[in-house]
Amino acid sequence: MAGAVFPDWIDGPFSWERSAQLGGSLDGMLTEYASLPEHAVVRIPDHLTFEEASTLPCAGVTAWHALTCGQPVMPGNTVLTLGSGGVSLFALQLAKAFGARVISTTSSEEKAERLKVLGADEVIDYYRNPDWHSLVREWTDGRGVDRVIEVGGGGTLEKSIKSVAADGHISQVGWLASESSSISIGAIASNVFTLKRIALGSRAHFEAMNRAIAASRLRPVIDRVFSFEEAGEALSYFKDNSRFGKVVIRMEQGRA
């Protein structure tokens, strides 16, 4: 079983009344024992290890919600993912399971090759191509992508707007980029699109994602696993932007 990050958000739209959050307003899960109500735990796919399943509640559910909100991603759609963080990797894997074409951005040739192994159809090095939205338009015959999984914030949102197709959808997940958050009103007015801020996801999102993961036999990407005693080292390692995949802290055999 895995804990739902928003234990009281069972289904339906997000509301502040259901926003109590594990690791936020509630105690987190970096502990030998945790007590949760029945409705706050979800059965994990049988083919996953506990380490793999531990990556699902936050990054996995967020990616699922980002791909399925509004008009869900459909076979033949094109999805743009930014970078190689946990949400972006899950979005890439899930989008491919949906039958979508995926364009990804990244910062190095090594990561580009790893993204292609996961299924990315095209990859853009955003250091070599700072105006990457132009390549996205070129690779979609000027149309743009159906959905953007937007994790950069102020540093990337304007380019995401320029990348999305008319009546496309931008799922805004995070704000990793350090640039100014100002956005040209001209860029906003130049396109017709939906922008939705994603607040992780509900238990219903979690359960639907698990069904898809079980059916596709998807396996999450793990960068490195640390022991419970190495938790401090794991947190320090997590700050290193060179990682590719999730950083996991494992409870040793014999612990709860």
Side-chain angles (χ1 to χ4, degrees):
M1 306 295 283
V5 176
F6 287 108
D8 299 323
W9 184 11
I10 305 302
D11 199 356
F14 176 82
S15 69
W16 293 116
E17 291 76 14
R18 296 181 284 182
S19 65
Q21 183 178 7
L22 296 180
S25 57
L26 303 174
D27 289 340
M29 301 292 280
L30 184 57
T31 178
E32 294 182 73
Y33 297 94
S35 177
L36 299 173
E38 183 178 359
H39 68 265
V41 293
V42 174
R43 182 179 175 86
I44 61 178
D46 291 336
H47 72 285
L48 298 183
T49 66
F50 287 132
E51 289 83 4
E52 290 170 330
S54 73
T55 71
L56 300 178
C58 187
V61 175
T62 301
W64 177 268
H65 187 187
L67 289 167
T68 60
C69 62
Q71 176 62 44
V73 170
M74 302 292 288
N77 283 171
T78 303
V79 175
L80 173 64
T81 64
L82 306 184
S84 55
V87 172
S88 295
L89 293 183
F90 268 112
L92 163 58
Q93 293 177 285
L94 290 168
K96 294 305 296 182
F98 293 167
R101 172 192 180 193
V102 177
I103 300 174
S104 300
T105 70
T106 192
S107 59
S108 70
E109 291 185 10
E110 178 187 357
K111 288 184 177 181
E113 290 305 313
R114 298 182 74 176
L115 289 167
K116 290 176 182 177
V117 169
L118 288 176
D121 297 278
E122 291 93 12
V123 181
I124 303 171
D125 185 326
Y126 56 75
Y127 282 139
R128 293 184 178 181
N129 301 278
D131 293 327
W132 43 264
H133 60 281
S134 298
L135 268 180
V136 172
R137 285 284 176 180
E138 178 183 335
W139 290 348
T140 55
D141 297 322
R143 179 180 177 274
V145 300
D146 298 285
R147 185 165 302 234
V148 182
I149 310 304
E150 165 57 55
V151 300
T156 58
L157 181 55
E158 185 169 325
K159 294 174 184 177
S160 292
I161 292 171
K162 294 177 179 179
S163 298
V164 74
D167 207 28
H169 188 110
I170 300 174
S171 295
Q172 204 282 319
V173 175
W175 49 90
L176 297 177
S178 58
E179 286 84 349
S180 169
S181 61
S182 61
I183 301 173
S184 166
I185 190 66
I188 296 174
S190 69
N191 204 347
V192 178
F193 61 95
T194 298
L195 172 65
K196 180 174 181 178
R197 173 76 174 105
I198 299 299
L200 210 143
S202 65
R203 178 193 173 97
H205 288 127
F206 201 163
E207 292 176 325
M209 177 195 69
N210 283 348
R211 290 192 293 271
I213 288 175
S216 63
R217 309 295 288 182
L218 183 152
R219 305 201 83 102
V221 181
I222 293 178
D223 180 278
R224 187 172 169 185
V225 178
F226 291 82
S227 70
F228 184 76
E229 288 74 18
E230 297 173 317
E233 183 182 345
L235 294 174
S236 297
Y237 181 80
F238 182 77
K239 297 177 182 178
D240 181 1
N241 289 327
S242 68
R243 67 187 185 279
F244 190 95
K246 299 299 291 180
V247 176
V248 173
I249 298 173
R250 176 175 52 210
M251 301 299 294
E252 299 300 329
Q253 192 171 30
R255 294 183 183 271

